[in-house]
Amino acid sequence: MAHQTCLGGTIRAVLGGSLAGSLIALCGAGAYAQPAPAPAGENPFSALFGEWTLKDDKFQYVGDGRTVEMQIIPNHHTQCARVNTDRSMLCVVKAGALNGHTLWTYDASKQQVHWLSHFGTERTGVGVGTFDKASNLTFKVRFTDEPEGSYRQYRYEWVSPDEYTLRSTQYDREGRATGNWYGGAFVRLPASALAVAGPTRPPATGMAYSVEDDTRKVKAILKKIDADITDTSIYSEDVVHMAQGSRAITSKAELRKALAAEASHGRSNMTHEIVTLHSYSDMVLTRGRVKGAWHPANGGSPVPFETNNIITFRRTADGSLKVWHVIFNRVELERYQP
């Protein structure tokens, strides 16, 4: 949740005092909300790479232990990227009158995230965090400009791969909640949504993914389709299937009936090919083609065919892929000139 780091800086700039500092701490903590442990050679913060901002510019806080107030913080911006190792990430924050940065590093042996931040001229924060299997983070951080022994506990939870929520609760040196807290939602800027490259850990699943691994998984699924079109184990329950000249099928149960009816009239010998493939934290998008021949059940002559398709594969909680959306059209071979 590197995005959260920015928020911290913003609040301090607007509010000042310990609450502002807490917010800054918050920024650093966000960057650590990653699944653990991270596989060797993979940056555990990759899902956070990119640019983030405060959703609707709105942030809530309690500074007197009782009154909930709304703070509008426009143009909040945080950019997070790999530094020069596979276990670290640097987030640079621009938050109005207050700028800063946070550095996150991952200790695989202890499955902990270490955080160091600096904002303005006096605000330095140090903390340690852990994340659960869903990539949500609980973080404890102390600041140089807050009362001795006090700390902040942050809870970061993913809403989607492009949004997360934050709540920070303040505790005194005795470990008692002071009643002060703040929180908000952060979203990925559209321009950076597709900018993440290389292996990434998607928040929705806590699983690692890469173009190479996804290509292997997709090829395995396509081979199952080639072998048996009636095998619906590869489809998501809410699959949408749109064939040329046919109405949309919008459930696995409906698709199962349609495929069984098709198989009763004959069989297809076909081969799926991938033309392009793009990997994202929650899905894989492919463009492909299929070449083959239809063999009628009555023993008639085979009918050659070729189709083009767009297929999306949903990434599930265990990291596997399921066919989600299918759109395809038929190439009129008699008119096609290669």
Side-chain angles (χ1 to χ4, degrees):
M1 320 243 136
H3 3 319
Q4 298 155 347
T5 302
C6 341
L7 171 60
T10 303
I11 291 296
R12 180 170 176 76
V14 175
L15 304 179
S18 61
L19 176 58
S22 306
L23 195 47
I24 292 176
L26 139 69
C27 293
Y32 300 113
Q34 299 305 304
E42 178 188 345
N43 193 310
F45 306 117
S46 298
L48 302 172
F49 292 174
E51 300 174 70
W52 302 83
T53 192
L54 185 60
K55 187 175 183 179
D56 299 324
D57 298 335
K58 296 179 179 179
F59 199 75
Q60 287 186 308
Y61 67 94
V62 174
D64 61 2
R66 300 181 304 276
T67 309
V68 178
E69 299 184 61
M70 177 71 74
Q71 181 70 48
I72 300 300
I73 307 174
N75 303 317
H76 173 270
H77 181 266
T78 295
Q79 184 167 9
C80 298
R82 177 181 182 276
V83 188
N84 60 356
T85 72
D86 290 327
R87 298 292 184 180
S88 64
M89 178 177 69
L90 178 67
C91 294
V92 177
V93 182
K94 295 181 179 179
L98 184 67
N99 296 326
H101 58 267
T102 58
L103 175 67
W104 298 269
T105 60
Y106 179 67
D107 181 347
S109 64
K110 296 182 179 180
Q111 298 184 12
Q112 292 181 332
V113 177
H114 296 272
W115 164 63
L116 176 65
S117 67
H118 184 72
F119 283 79
T121 58
E122 304 294 336
R123 182 80 168 175
T124 296
V126 177
V128 175
T130 58
F131 40 81
D132 58 26
K133 293 181 179 179
S135 300
N136 301 314
L137 171 73
T138 300
F139 202 93
K140 184 176 181 180
V141 61
R142 300 179 186 277
F143 296 95
T144 56
D145 57 352
E146 292 195 356
E148 182 70 25
S150 66
Y151 62 91
R152 285 270 176 169
Q153 179 173 288
Y154 301 94
R155 175 65 178 174
Y156 303 94
E157 296 188 3
W158 290 99
V159 176
S160 75
D162 297 317
E163 179 179 348
Y164 68 87
T165 61
L166 157 74
R167 185 179 177 94
S168 170
T169 304
Q170 187 182 50
Y171 291 84
D172 63 19
R173 63 188 306 165
E174 303 299 328
R176 297 171 298 196
T178 64
N180 293 339
W181 60 266
Y182 52 78
F186 293 82
V187 294
R188 188 191 299 273
L189 290 174
S192 69
L194 303 182
V196 178
T200 307
R201 303 181 66 79
T205 65
M207 303 294 292
Y209 71 85
S210 69
V211 171
E212 292 76 13
D213 189 47
D214 285 341
T215 298
R216 178 184 59 77
K217 292 178 181 178
V218 168
K219 285 183 176 180
I221 292 174
L222 298 180
K223 284 185 177 181
K224 286 189 175 183
I225 298 176
D226 291 342
D228 181 7
I229 65 169
T230 64
D231 183 357
T232 57
S233 65
I234 62 173
Y235 295 96
S236 65
E237 293 297 331
D238 59 345
V239 61
V240 176
H241 190 279
M242 294 185 287
Q244 178 171 292
S246 302
R247 65 180 178 79
I249 295 174
T250 57
S251 72
K252 182 191 284 193
E254 189 179 7
L255 178 61
R256 183 181 297 112
K257 293 179 181 179
L259 295 178
E262 179 181 340
S264 69
H265 295 293
R267 63 182 176 81
S268 293
N269 286 337
M270 58 186 177
T271 302
H272 280 74
E273 300 176 10
I274 300 173
V275 177
T276 61
L277 182 147
H278 301 277
S279 292
Y280 305 104
S281 60
D282 58 344
M283 61 171 281
V284 174
L285 171 65
T286 66
R287 178 172 74 86
R289 59 174 170 258
V290 181
K291 296 181 180 180
W294 168 255
H295 298 260
N298 61 10
S301 299
V303 180
F305 66 84
E306 182 177 339
T307 62
N308 300 309
N309 61 63
I310 296 292
I311 304 176
T312 65
F313 300 79
R314 169 177 282 166
R315 200 180 301 281
T316 64
D318 64 2
S320 63
L321 299 177
K322 294 289 185 179
V323 178
W324 189 15
H325 300 140
V326 180
I327 304 174
F328 71 86
N329 63 359
R330 181 175 62 86
V331 175
E332 296 186 17
L333 296 177
E334 63 278 8
R335 300 182 183 180
Y336 178 69
Q337 297 296 322

